[in-house]
Amino acid sequence: MKTKCIYKNRLGFHGEIIAKDFLSKKNLKFIKSNFRFERAEVDLIFESEKDKILIFAEVKTRRTLEYGNPEESVTLSKQNRIKKAAMGFVMNNEKYSDYDLRMDVVSIFIDMDEIKINHIENAF
């Protein structure tokens, strides 16, 4: 039986692993990846327990800058879908109802063996 991969490509999967590790090292607690609500999705969800903040992170990974920096691909419509997913997550997880919400973008550029990470807190 063949299982369906939720990742459109290996680069995106690799980027999410890098971002998850990066955010975990910032003392954030991982909650969930690829959360879907209706037609909206957010890549990673973390929490800062001490600050009572839920962090919804969109991860963008590229190997070339031919089309711009990875973070530039987070359009207004994409931002709105991430916000919708965030609200859906809170609606379905009442224990976070008193948490502040923060939308981050984790931009990853992989050039040969070098990985550059740009973490934009409160990106939108």
Side-chain angles (χ1 to χ4, degrees):
M1 185 171 133
K2 208 173 186 184
T3 58
K4 184 178 177 188
C5 182
I6 60 171
Y7 296 97
K8 291 180 183 171
N9 60 54
R10 290 182 188 167
L11 182 63
F13 175 74
H14 187 61
E16 287 184 20
I17 290 170
I18 292 167
K20 182 179 174 185
D21 184 55
F22 176 82
L23 293 171
S24 294
K25 288 178 179 172
K26 289 188 163 198
N27 293 321
L28 299 174
K29 180 183 172 190
F30 174 73
I31 298 174
K32 191 159 185 60
S33 61
N34 302 107
F35 174 77
R36 293 181 183 271
F37 178 75
E38 295 176 357
R39 297 186 71 129
E41 180 189 2
V42 63
D43 292 329
L44 300 172
I45 304 173
F46 280 83
E47 75 173 290
S48 172
E49 292 176 296
K50 72 177 180 90
D51 299 322
K52 295 189 88 173
I53 299 173
L54 274 179
I55 296 102
F56 297 88
E58 177 67 11
V59 181
K60 290 296 179 185
T61 310
R62 291 204 175 147
R63 291 190 187 275
T64 176
L65 298 178
E66 185 177 341
Y67 300 105
N69 290 314
E71 63 271 17
E72 293 174 37
S73 65
V74 183
T75 62
L76 184 58
S77 62
K78 180 69 174 172
Q79 292 172 19
N80 289 333
R81 287 192 300 274
I82 294 166
K83 289 176 186 177
K84 181 178 182 178
M87 297 311 292
F89 181 82
V90 174
M91 280 182 2
N92 290 314
N93 295 275
E94 264 187 47
K95 73 178 191 174
Y96 298 113
S97 63
D98 62 338
Y99 275 53
D100 288 328
L101 307 183
R102 189 177 89 196
M103 310 299 158
D104 291 6
V105 173
V106 181
S107 167
I108 300 170
F109 179 66
I110 301 173
D111 183 24
M112 303 299 262
D113 291 330
E114 185 180 5
I115 297 171
K116 296 176 185 171
I117 301 172
N118 182 17
H119 178 206
I120 305 164
E121 295 183 11
N122 286 309
F124 52 91

